[in-house]
Amino acid sequence: MNKSHINLYSLIAFITLMCLPQIMGCSSSDNTVGGVPVIPYYLAFEVISPQVVLSGHCLPVVIYQPNTNPRIDQKQALTLSCPERTGFGSVKLKRGMGSQLIDMNWALGDVTELSVNVHNELGVTVSEFQVRVITDPVNRELSGVLSPTEMVWDSTAIIQISDEVTIPAGNELTIQPGTIIELSENARVIVEGRVSCKGTRENPVVFSSDYSGLPWGEIDHRSSGSEYRYTFFTNGGGDGSRSFGHSQSQPVLRGTGCEVSFDH
């Protein structure tokens, strides 16, 4: 390619960048409504986070910018605020995506409903979501080999696993949207059958540690066919006796001679 071709391509790229705000229906010189800054729709951020969090626990949050070019190594920090508390957490994004466990220990007492705003570095609100804080949860304790009547978990109760739970061969465990599963230190789930985890963008499923705050173990898949949709796995992999690989750590999700599917 000769020099004239290179200059021509550079000129086209420059004109495209200069005209992009007008092409997208947004003027670069006036980006306000009534004096309030407005984020163009192509710069909007989307949030994936549980709508429910247990009082004193951490809230997992994923924020992404759908129209970000992943080839652009852009970094930015977003701040979470609500009327009850300003700047209670932050999420750092790289290439348009970031995640963080947000400490919610401050959300105690009478705080039960939170309207959370997400602000960019200029203080402009770029997204928002709702969170309900549960202070007195209903618990459902499970252990050992699950029976056919224990093959559906849902959000009507917090699923508590204190030791080891097995899904026997020939059975399918269904986990409904919005379900929270709490596991004690080093506790694990052995899957000899299948898991169908039906989390959604609005109501993801959460696997996390119990009130002790100590890491749980793993989900050990020994057969194919399990599928996880919109599922958070936090504070797991704490059983040093089951570590392996170059990192000498325990995986939160283990598979032995099988296939496991993940969607989001």
Side-chain angles (χ1 to χ4, degrees):
M1 183 181 295
N2 59 39
K3 185 175 181 180
S4 61
H5 286 166
I6 294 176
N7 290 337
L8 177 60
Y9 294 145
S10 299
L11 178 61
I12 292 174
F14 174 75
I15 294 174
T16 301
L17 289 173
M18 291 297 292
C19 294
L20 181 60
Q22 284 73 28
I23 293 172
M24 302 301 290
C26 171
S27 171
S28 61
S29 61
D30 183 12
N31 195 26
T32 64
V33 174
V36 178
V38 175
I39 295 297
Y41 75 89
Y42 60 91
L43 294 180
F45 295 81
E46 295 191 16
V47 178
I48 300 176
S49 182
Q51 293 186 2
V52 174
V53 63
L54 294 176
S55 177
H57 282 220
C58 290
L59 177 71
V61 176
V62 170
I63 302 178
Y64 68 100
Q65 194 173 357
N67 295 292
T68 293
N69 184 347
R71 295 177 180 272
I72 300 177
D73 188 14
Q74 181 181 6
K75 298 179 182 180
Q76 51 192 318
L78 303 179
T79 303
L80 307 183
S81 295
C82 63
E84 293 79 8
R85 192 178 182 93
T86 301
F88 65 83
S90 63
V91 179
K92 294 182 179 180
L93 274 64
K94 182 176 182 180
R95 300 184 187 275
M97 179 170 287
S99 63
Q100 186 67 43
L101 281 176
I102 306 299
D103 185 357
M104 300 295 290
N105 282 322
W106 60 270
L108 302 172
D110 297 331
V111 179
T112 57
E113 300 285 343
L114 299 175
S115 296
V116 182
N117 292 319
V118 182
H119 307 286
N120 65 11
E121 294 167 336
L122 299 177
V124 179
T125 299
V126 295
S127 189
E128 59 185 11
F129 60 101
Q130 305 293 316
V131 179
R132 180 165 58 91
V133 181
I134 298 179
T135 57
D136 188 19
V138 176
N139 298 321
R140 180 185 179 191
E141 297 182 3
L142 297 171
S143 62
V145 178
L146 296 183
S147 67
T149 61
E150 297 173 321
M151 288 297 164
V152 177
W153 299 353
D154 60 35
S155 60
T156 59
I158 306 300
I159 304 298
Q160 290 193 322
I161 299 173
S162 59
D163 188 10
E164 184 174 285
V165 162
T166 299
I167 303 163
N171 290 267
E172 179 176 281
L173 170 66
T174 299
I175 305 178
Q176 300 289 5
T179 303
I180 297 176
I181 301 98
E182 284 196 330
L183 300 97
S184 298
E185 182 182 11
N186 296 338
R188 63 176 178 152
V189 178
I190 298 175
V191 183
E192 296 176 348
R194 289 162 39 100
V195 174
S196 178
C197 192
K198 300 179 178 294
T200 64
R201 183 186 179 282
E202 296 76 18
N203 287 288
V205 170
V206 178
F207 284 81
S208 190
S209 56
D210 62 12
Y211 284 101
S212 69
L214 298 172
W216 55 284
E218 65 184 12
I219 303 177
D220 185 358
H221 299 85
R222 301 178 181 180
S223 62
S224 295
S226 292
E227 180 181 17
Y228 297 87
R229 294 177 54 85
Y230 287 98
T231 305
F232 285 97
F233 305 92
T234 67
N235 203 28
D239 188 352
S241 67
R242 295 182 59 78
S243 62
F244 79 104
H246 69 278
S247 65
Q248 283 300 299
S249 60
Q250 181 190 26
V252 173
L253 299 168
R254 186 191 299 264
T256 305
C258 64
E259 294 184 359
V260 180
S261 300
F262 300 90
D263 186 351
H264 290 83

